[in-house]
Amino acid sequence: MKRVRWLYAAAFVAATLLVAAPALAQGEGANAGTNTSATYVGSKACAKCHEEQVEAFTKNPHYGAAIDANPNGEPTVGCESCHGPGSLHVAADGDDSDPRFKTIWNLKGMKAPDVNKVCGTCHRTGEQFYWAQSAHAHNDVSCRDCHSIHDSKDPGGEKLLQATSATDLCVKCHHDKRAELVHTAHMPVREGSMTCADCHNPHGSPGPHMIRGASNNELCTTCHMDKRGPFLWEHPPVRENCVTCHMPHGSNNDKVLASKKPFLCQRCHIATRHPSTLYDGAPSDLASNRLFNRSCTNCHSQIHGSNHPSGKTFLR
């Protein structure tokens, strides 16, 4: 008896889907990429109403890549590559009250997963390989939130960005990083020598915080190669993680340190007397020269690591 009921229920669901399918193809479902009744008519048919977008598309990286990829020199990426087959939309002849008008995929009105699905039909490798596991994807950030296909703001439209640079785009959401970048010691982002995308891949990465490396140390040492090692004598916190001591986006301390020296060093070196606390007893300790200038690194100059046989304490 239970099996019969189950079969009746399955048949009811199947019948419902068959009835609903045509409606989805003509309505909101079309905007989610489910439009299957329309056919492709070519980009020239779009120029009647969208002349400005069609003309601008010839300067778009998508168009250029298509020309280069096609041995015949004909563009293989056109309006319908992103907006779906447009025969029904064209047949509506601009009448937005006609149900066929809305069968075109309008990315402006689509939800983030649906927008990303459209873009992901082509952009699935390279920079976008880890997109599905990225923090942006998990927070429903869509490709359109950062990119503008028909009206990009970045110089030359190379990345089709919604802002003049990757940094200007990132700090629209990451306000805490905007504040850190105005500190006295900071990454050379404010001066334009680098952008957020030099260290982070906004489309995802195998490392933490979408950095362009498997670890913070691997990323930092791509530029700071003198800190890479291996060293004969290694400083454990340095080997473990650069951000143990440094604030990567900015700090009001020298060399973007997380705290002033010697207090930074004494977060770990807390045993009494030298080489840790200078303030165990008499107030006169506060006059120690180890409190000023480079502090601990006045003597321990090779704090990232030493290759000297006598460099156990990073003095040389």
Side-chain angles (χ1 to χ4, degrees):
M1 189 64 179
K2 290 183 179 179
R3 184 178 180 183
V4 172
R5 289 178 180 174
W6 184 88
L7 290 173
Y8 274 119
F12 176 79
V13 171
T16 302
L17 290 175
L18 287 172
V19 171
L24 287 173
Q26 300 295 329
E28 294 300 323
N31 276 344
T34 57
N35 182 9
T36 57
S37 59
T39 57
Y40 292 93
V41 294
S43 297
K44 290 182 180 179
C46 305
K48 180 181 177 181
C49 298
H50 306 284
E51 183 178 356
E52 183 179 342
Q53 286 82 1
V54 171
E55 182 179 352
F57 188 71
T58 59
K59 304 179 182 66
N60 192 291
H62 288 114
Y63 183 89
I67 291 289
D68 294 339
N70 192 334
N72 297 324
E74 293 292 332
T76 56
V77 178
C79 305
E80 293 168 301
S81 299
C82 298
H83 296 286
S87 62
L88 297 178
H89 178 76
V90 171
D93 199 25
D95 182 6
D96 58 4
S97 63
D98 189 325
R100 296 174 298 178
F101 182 86
K102 296 182 179 180
T103 57
I104 201 72
W105 303 343
N106 185 353
L107 274 65
K108 290 183 179 179
M110 291 166 61
K111 295 180 179 179
D114 296 326
V115 174
N116 298 340
K117 183 179 179 180
V118 171
C119 299
T121 56
C122 296
H123 299 282
R124 288 181 287 184
T125 59
E127 289 275 289
Q128 294 80 24
F129 185 80
Y130 292 100
W131 171 256
Q133 291 79 39
S134 70
H136 284 154
H138 290 168
N139 286 281
D140 281 339
V141 175
S142 81
C143 303
R144 283 200 68 258
D145 291 329
C146 298
H147 297 281
S148 177
I149 304 303
H150 298 295
D151 186 27
S152 61
K153 304 295 189 298
D154 56 319
E158 181 184 1
K159 302 296 184 182
L160 299 174
L161 299 179
Q162 293 270 20
T164 55
S165 70
T167 299
D168 291 338
L169 188 62
C170 296
V171 296
K172 286 183 178 180
C173 295
H174 300 281
H175 300 151
D176 56 327
K177 303 302 183 290
R178 181 202 294 269
E180 291 178 4
L181 289 171
V182 299
H183 288 163
T184 54
H186 55 268
M187 299 286 279
V189 173
R190 272 176 20 204
E191 293 77 14
S193 299
M194 62 184 298
T195 69
C196 301
D198 289 324
C199 293
H200 299 274
N201 182 353
H203 303 101
S205 81
H209 304 289
M210 299 196 294
I211 62 172
R212 295 185 181 275
S215 66
N216 288 325
N217 282 19
E218 181 181 307
L219 176 66
C220 296
T221 53
T222 56
C223 293
H224 303 280
M225 298 186 69
D226 57 319
K227 310 299 189 296
R228 182 190 295 274
F231 297 106
L232 177 62
W233 302 103
E234 292 191 328
H235 196 183
V238 175
R239 183 175 63 242
E240 181 181 344
N241 198 337
C242 299
V243 299
T244 301
C245 298
H246 296 277
M247 300 288 289
H249 297 97
S251 164
N252 284 328
N253 302 309
D254 184 40
K255 301 184 186 301
V256 291
L257 291 174
S259 178
K260 290 185 179 296
K261 294 177 290 187
F263 307 107
L264 173 68
C265 305
Q266 290 168 357
R267 294 191 308 181
C268 296
H269 299 281
I270 56 176
T272 187
R273 307 283 183 186
H274 184 78
S276 56
T277 57
L278 308 174
Y279 341 97
D280 278 355
S284 60
D285 284 343
L286 296 178
S288 170
N289 64 355
R290 297 197 299 278
L291 276 172
F292 302 100
N293 196 21
R294 288 167 50 194
S295 184
C296 303
T297 53
N298 281 332
C299 299
H300 305 279
S301 57
Q302 304 303 309
I303 201 63
H304 291 94
S306 173
N307 281 320
H308 195 281
S310 300
K312 182 178 181 180
T313 54
F314 313 114
L315 296 174
R316 59 191 77 186

